Amino acid sequence: MALPSADLGDGTYRNPVLDADWSDPDVLCVGDDFYLTASSFGRAPGLPLLHSRDLVNWTLVGHALQRLEPAREFRSPRPGGGVWAPALRRHDDCFWIFWGDPDHGIFQVNAPDIRGPWTRPYLVKEGQGLIDPCPLWDEESGEAYLVHAWARSRSGVKNRLTGHRMRPDGTGLLDEGKVIVDGDLIPGWFTLEGPKAYRHDGWFWILAPAGGVASGWQGAFRSRGFFGPYEERVVLEQGNTRVNGPHQGGWVRTAAGEDWFVHFQQRGPYGRVVHLQPMRWGGGGGWPVIGERGTPVAVHRKPELPAQPPSAPATDDDFPGGRFGRQWQWAANPQEGWAPQHSGDGLRLSCVRTPFAHDLRAVPHVLTQRMPGRPATVRVDLCLDSEEPGARAGLVVLGDAFAWIGLEREPGGAVRLVHRFAEPVDAAAPVPRSGGCAGGRERDAAPAWPAPRGRARLWIEIGAGARCRFSYDTGEGRQPSGQVFAATGQGWTGALLGLFALAPPGAGPAGAAGFTRFRVTAAR
């Protein structure tokens, strides 16, 4: 089961087509199939792979990156690091994904089939601040190129795009690179990033955003040679619409010859949701025209493609066979002892011992999925099967601030229902690499309540503006808990929903927690 599709059922669709944090999307057409990938930052598995037949109805079919490398750097949560702005391409009968890790360099993986097996990450170019890479194999000349942007936070450089010649096999770059677009030389342009490179109609094209994620625009650049000089034009901006900062995505042409552009919109705690815009070439000298004369559409006819059943990436999970679905990601690289215990249906997580039990932002073994971008109710059933004092498990809304509701074993042996929260010291500060506290320690959001059976049903109602209300049932009916909690993003991501089971430091196993019937239901 999943949240409703963007397909309106009458030949039209409503934006966003992916109403959750599928950040920095890139899209590819292969025959009758469309594929999309997105930033996954420090979560694992990374590089999500989505499939569609009509660019409106999408399903999540897997991930291309099982573990982030270097592995030692991702043993703790790194919400602002890892996989930034991947580019998805098809070349030499293989699928390729290139991405920039701002702390380590430019990586790529490739596979003969979208479902794998994918290679391990290959470091194409080492260095700090190298982000948003995109390869281009020029079929006319046989040359291979790569363009990337810069992160000032790591390199001291921003607002420019650098081009390289690349080995045709994608294993390295053949030169030191040249600045091919300098945003400082374009009046009014700043934070130029996210380039996607193409060949069309005899031109080299770079589609790249500028102006920042919250209020920027989409630019197009063209040149007769890859290394320039380039001329530029703004091809998508907010105008009088409600879609702030529409930019950073990819162009795709269907088998029927229609052109479409996929991009994101930054929506605060919801992260970066994905929009689909009509596109055509030839507007005033051959430039692309995106949306409704350069502004985003809210409702539009669907692409001229065979009708598809409504679909959206899965959210619900019954955990068949004790396994979790593709929609879940760990907050960091998985380690030994985190794997679910397979014992029939339902998810059984070990209560992993950790010194950071009071700060879920620093806990790597939180199992997360994207928070929906629309009002919805989240529900899960929980059983705490641990005799360890201090062992706890629950359902969390995780960001710079977090709030959770769940069960905890008291020193005297009783189990109680607890509801806790923590606010950030600095809402812009990502969790440190050391895994220490990003903000204040958690505090009680409501008085504890006895849970004599060690079981509870938990709810989070996500309202407008990502304002969350918590409730529970320990056997005496549903009860509200605490005040409204305003969800926040973390690093460059939107807020996450999470399940966790943990225990204080100590020796030996600490028991487990069972989760069943996880549901996300859109509000009516």
Side-chain angles (χ1 to χ4, degrees), residues 67-298:
R67 300 175 64 87
L68 291 95
E69 295 189 8
R72 65 183 181 279
E73 295 288 330
F74 294 96
R75 292 178 63 90
S76 298
R78 296 283 310 284
V83 176
W84 284 25
L88 174 61
R89 292 294 183 265
R90 176 82 170 165
H91 171 69
D92 197 23
D93 294 325
C94 277
F95 291 90
W96 301 76
I97 303 178
F98 284 66
W99 74 94
D101 179 320
D103 299 302
H104 300 102
I106 294 170
F107 290 85
Q108 61 97 340
V109 291
N110 59 83
D113 183 83
I114 195 70
R115 290 169 175 80
W118 290 84
T119 63
R120 286 186 59 178
Y122 186 91
L123 184 59
V124 178
K125 181 175 175 61
E126 185 176 6
Q128 290 192 325
L130 308 175
I131 60 169
D132 308 352
C134 182
L136 174 65
W137 286 273
D138 182 7
E139 295 181 358
E140 296 182 18
S141 67
E143 297 282 348
Y145 303 98
L146 184 133
V147 60
H148 69 83
W150 295 86
R152 184 169 64 180
S153 60
R154 273 73 165 186
S155 65
V157 178
K158 65 173 291 188
N159 204 31
R160 63 192 61 173
L161 306 179
T162 296
H164 297 264
R165 283 190 169 85
M166 183 179 71
R167 298 182 188 275
D169 63 1
T171 59
L173 304 179
L174 298 175
D175 55 35
E176 292 302 311
K178 174 186 175 182
V179 175
I180 59 177
V181 180
D182 188 341
D184 290 345
L185 302 180
I186 308 173
W189 285 57
F190 59 96
T191 317
L192 177 63
E193 57 188 351
K196 296 294 184 286
Y198 307 93
R199 281 285 259 155
H200 174 68
D201 196 27
W203 295 87
F204 287 89
W205 292 88
I206 296 175
L207 302 182
V213 298
S215 57
W217 59 88
Q218 179 66 37
F221 301 82
R222 71 179 183 184
S223 173
R224 291 298 184 183
F226 177 78
F227 290 98
Y230 282 87
E231 52 184 324
E232 83 284 340
R233 179 171 292 188
V234 175
V235 292
L236 184 68
E237 57 189 340
Q238 179 172 353
N240 61 2
T241 74
R242 301 177 65 180
V243 182
N244 59 291
H247 68 263
Q248 190 156 334
W251 162 46
V252 66
R253 173 167 286 178
T254 72
E258 284 190 332
D259 297 302
W260 297 84
F261 185 72
V262 170
H263 68 91
F264 76 71
Q265 174 197 9
Q266 170 65 35
R267 291 189 57 219
Y270 300 110
R272 301 173 182 179
V273 302
V274 177
H275 290 240
L276 174 67
Q277 302 296 337
M279 175 174 162
R280 63 181 176 85
W281 292 90
W287 291 86
V289 178
I290 300 177
E292 179 64 33
R293 294 189 295 276
T295 60
V297 301

Side-chain angles (χ1 to χ4, degrees), residues 358-359 361 402 421-425 437-442:
H358 296 285
D359 190 351
R361 292 162 294 203
F402 69 86
F421 78 101
E423 55 187 330
V425 170
C437 292
R441 290 166 64 92
E442 66 180 25

Side-chain angles (χ1 to χ4, degrees), residues 143-523:
E143 297 282 348
Y145 303 98
L146 184 133
V147 60
H148 69 83
W150 295 86
R152 184 169 64 180
S153 60
R154 273 73 165 186
S155 65
V157 178
K158 65 173 291 188
N159 204 31
R160 63 192 61 173
L161 306 179
T162 296
H164 297 264
R165 283 190 169 85
M166 183 179 71
R167 298 182 188 275
D169 63 1
T171 59
L173 304 179
L174 298 175
D175 55 35
E176 292 302 311
K178 174 186 175 182
V179 175
I180 59 177
V181 180
D182 188 341
D184 290 345
L185 302 180
I186 308 173
W189 285 57
F190 59 96
T191 317
L192 177 63
E193 57 188 351
K196 296 294 184 286
Y198 307 93
R199 281 285 259 155
H200 174 68
D201 196 27
W203 295 87
F204 287 89
W205 292 88
I206 296 175
L207 302 182
V213 298
S215 57
W217 59 88
Q218 179 66 37
F221 301 82
R222 71 179 183 184
S223 173
R224 291 298 184 183
F226 177 78
F227 290 98
Y230 282 87
E231 52 184 324
E232 83 284 340
R233 179 171 292 188
V234 175
V235 292
L236 184 68
E237 57 189 340
Q238 179 172 353
N240 61 2
T241 74
R242 301 177 65 180
V243 182
N244 59 291
H247 68 263
Q248 190 156 334
W251 162 46
V252 66
R253 173 167 286 178
T254 72
E258 284 190 332
D259 297 302
W260 297 84
F261 185 72
V262 170
H263 68 91
F264 76 71
Q265 174 197 9
Q266 170 65 35
R267 291 189 57 219
Y270 300 110
R272 301 173 182 179
V273 302
V274 177
H275 290 240
L276 174 67
Q277 302 296 337
M279 175 174 162
R280 63 181 176 85
W281 292 90
W287 291 86
V289 178
I290 300 177
E292 179 64 33
R293 294 189 295 276
T295 60
V297 301
V299 176
H300 195 271
R301 70 162 180 85
K302 293 172 57 181
E304 292 288 349
L305 294 165
Q308 302 296 320
S311 63
T315 55
D316 296 357
D317 206 341
D318 285 321
F319 309 110
R323 295 171 172 83
F324 52 83
R326 297 187 182 100
Q327 66 268 37
W328 298 96
Q329 297 170 287
W330 296 107
N333 275 343
Q335 306 297 322
E336 185 177 355
W338 297 8
Q341 304 171 16
H342 301 311
S343 57
D345 292 347
L347 180 67
R348 189 170 174 82
L349 294 179
S350 296
C351 293
V352 179
R353 296 186 180 277
T354 174
F356 304 116
H358 296 285
D359 190 351
L360 291 175
R361 292 162 294 203
V363 174
H365 50 277
V366 178
L367 196 60
T368 70
Q369 67 166 275
R370 295 160 179 83
M371 189 175 73
R374 63 182 68 188
T377 298
V378 183
R379 189 199 80 192
V380 71
D381 292 347
L382 169 64
C383 173
L384 181 62
D385 187 14
S386 172
E387 300 299 323
E388 182 75 12
R392 64 190 67 173
L395 171 66
V396 62
V397 177
L398 185 63
D400 281 324
F402 69 86
W404 68 275
I405 191 166
L407 299 173
E408 182 178 48
R409 178 72 68 175
E410 294 182 306
V415 176
R416 59 180 181 169
L417 187 290
V418 295
H419 179 191
R420 298 196 176 113
F421 78 101
E423 55 187 330
V425 170
D426 179 355
V431 176
R433 290 195 197 186
S434 64
C437 292
R441 290 166 64 92
E442 66 180 25
R443 294 183 286 156
D444 287 333
W449 189 259
R453 299 185 301 152
R455 296 176 178 271
R457 176 166 288 180
L458 311 172
W459 288 269
I460 302 174
E461 293 180 81
I462 306 169
R467 295 173 64 82
C468 301
R469 294 183 179 274
F470 291 74
S471 56
Y472 65 91
D473 181 1
T474 56
E476 298 181 0
R478 185 172 175 175
Q479 303 293 327
S481 183
Q483 300 300 312
V484 172
F485 172 76
T488 66
Q490 185 177 26
W492 299 111
T493 73
L496 299 167
L497 301 173
L499 304 175
F500 69 91
L502 53 83
F515 298 88
T516 55
R517 292 183 290 277
F518 184 90
R519 297 287 184 271
V520 180
T521 306

